[in-house]
Amino acid sequence: MYLEFDPTFCNGNVHVNEPSLHKSVSSLCLPVLHKNYEAAWLLKTVSCIDLTTLASDDTFSNVSRLCMKAVHPISKPILCSFAENREEFEFLKKISVAAVCVYPSRVADAVKQLKLLDSPLPVASVATGFPSGQYPLTTRVDEVSFCVENGASEVDIVIDRSLVLSGRWSELHQEVHKMKEACGDAHLKAILAVGECGSPDNIYKASMACMMAGADFIKTSTGKEVINANLPAGLVMCRAIRDFYRKTNTKVGLKPAGGVRTWSDAFPWLELVKKELGKEWLDPQLFRIGASGLLQDLERRLYRLANGVSAPSTFFKQI
């Protein structure tokens, strides 16, 4: 949903109480769950992953392997152990990650492989001068168009952090809106790079500017900054999403990315979203986790729950 820029969303009255912010996230802890409930949380986490490869040596082969893992993220022996009957097993077999995320030049490869697998999984691509965003706006918009033309149905754009640091909220809104227009029907996820925004106040204002410009998701980080996804920044973003929903009746999604590597990293994010935004946000349509190594850790945890022992090193194959 696009809104004309409204400075009251980003004015000087915005102030985040940092001590209260850190106190609030300190209460988020790993829940103590019964085996089957923990397994449900783990599988829910799997279903919200944007399975990602952003390596400089990406090729068609490793993108293809990523797609195959995305479609069948958990091995059949593990799924069998949690299914009490054939119907449950057939249901569990349908679990996949939320999307595959690659560089623009690898979008066509991912789209091709997913078609061969007869999978409806969306392909996401990072764009707009990822990870710095320090490129002319024309080339950034062209990159969004390139991703969509090659089959991406989601585009993760990076904002120009200099606009945030200098308080140029209207200009930020205009840039993101132009990128959203280039997306067409594709979803836009706006990467704030929270570790480079300067303050929690700026994180809130940047969130608001991007949502007014039509962002479908706001995303914490590129994964390339020194400070990436962290719960205090996530709480600020959740509060911005909640305020935006109350003012516009429009739901915007949240995507933590960068540093979410284990199930114990991921669970507090689910708890945060559930607490601040409600259970309805714990759905791939409104919550994603950008990750490359998280899936294997989730599968290891599921194996341990199913068998009572850690998985042997030979059980898992690297993506």
Side-chain angles (χ1 to χ4, degrees):
M1 176 182 179
Y2 170 74
L3 295 176
E4 294 290 340
F5 181 71
D6 182 349
T8 61
F9 282 72
C10 305
N11 63 26
N13 294 327
V14 172
H15 176 66
V16 177
N17 185 321
E18 290 197 54
S20 177
L21 179 69
H22 288 276
K23 183 178 179 180
S24 295
V25 298
S26 68
S27 66
L28 295 170
C29 57
L30 292 177
V32 179
L33 300 170
H34 179 272
K35 172 184 171 181
N36 288 344
Y37 285 109
E38 182 175 340
W41 271 59
L42 291 164
L43 293 171
K44 168 60 74 174
T45 305
V46 169
S47 73
C48 293
I49 291 176
D50 280 359
L51 193 60
T52 304
T53 180
L54 297 173
S56 58
D57 58 353
D58 281 340
T59 63
F60 176 79
S61 295
N62 74 293
V63 169
S64 296
R65 289 196 299 272
L66 187 85
C67 291
M68 288 186 277
K69 186 64 176 175
V71 174
H72 300 293
I74 306 298
S75 64
K76 287 184 179 180
I78 294 176
L79 293 177
C80 279
S81 67
F82 292 106
E84 296 184 358
N85 52 55
R86 184 68 184 177
E87 287 185 0
E88 285 190 7
F89 178 64
E90 291 300 319
F91 172 77
L92 292 174
K93 277 202 311 181
K94 296 177 182 177
I95 290 175
S96 69
V97 302
V100 170
C101 185
V102 294
Y103 274 122
S105 60
R106 302 265 72 96
V107 168
D109 294 340
V111 170
K112 178 180 179 180
Q113 184 59 46
L114 289 170
K115 283 183 178 178
L116 290 173
L117 295 168
D118 195 26
S119 170
L121 271 186
V123 173
S125 181
V126 296
T128 67
F130 181 94
S132 71
Q134 294 290 329
Y135 292 81
L137 179 59
T138 52
T139 64
R140 286 183 281 151
V141 171
D142 286 345
E143 193 173 28
V144 173
S145 299
F146 175 85
C147 294
V148 174
E149 288 165 4
N150 278 271
S153 51
E154 302 178 2
V155 184
D156 293 28
I157 63 103
V158 287
I159 64 171
D160 181 348
R161 275 79 94 189
S162 71
L163 300 179
V164 175
L165 295 171
S166 55
R168 292 147 64 190
W169 306 115
S170 177
E171 192 172 340
L172 173 61
H173 173 270
Q174 291 170 13
E175 287 200 355
V176 174
H177 177 52
K178 288 180 180 178
M179 296 170 193
K180 175 62 176 176
E181 287 183 320
C183 280
D185 293 332
H187 283 186
L188 181 144
K189 306 191 197 92
I191 307 173
L192 306 186
V194 293
E196 297 178 351
C197 283
S199 70
D201 291 6
N202 282 349
I203 293 171
Y204 182 93
K205 293 174 184 180
S207 298
M208 282 296 187
C210 290
M211 289 188 288
M212 279 189 285
D216 300 286
F217 276 75
I218 50 175
K219 177 178 172 181
T220 60
S221 321
T222 67
K224 308 294 185 181
E225 294 89 53
V226 175
I227 299 173
N228 291 290
N230 63 87
L231 291 169
L235 177 56
V236 174
M237 294 168 73
C238 281
R239 296 277 172 87
I241 289 171
R242 189 173 67 191
D243 290 348
F244 189 77
Y245 175 63
R246 287 173 175 171
K247 292 176 180 179
T248 67
N249 203 34
T250 300
K251 294 178 180 177
V252 175
L254 176 72
K255 180 178 174 179
V260 186
R261 299 185 178 91
T262 67
W263 69 272
S264 57
D265 293 331
F267 275 20
W269 282 97
L270 273 71
E271 184 67 23
L272 174 66
V273 170
K274 178 183 175 184
K275 178 180 177 182
E276 293 294 325
L277 299 172
K279 290 182 180 179
E280 61 200 284
W281 253 267
L282 287 179
D283 183 275
Q285 296 300 315
L286 290 169
F287 179 66
R288 301 286 183 86
I289 300 175
S292 54
L294 173 62
L295 178 57
Q296 189 172 82
D297 187 75
L298 294 172
E299 194 172 14
R300 286 185 184 278
R301 184 67 179 177
L302 285 163
Y303 183 100
R304 185 174 183 83
L305 284 177
N307 298 284
V309 295
S310 298
S313 59
T314 55
F315 186 84
F316 299 101
K317 294 181 180 179
Q318 293 286 343
I319 293 175

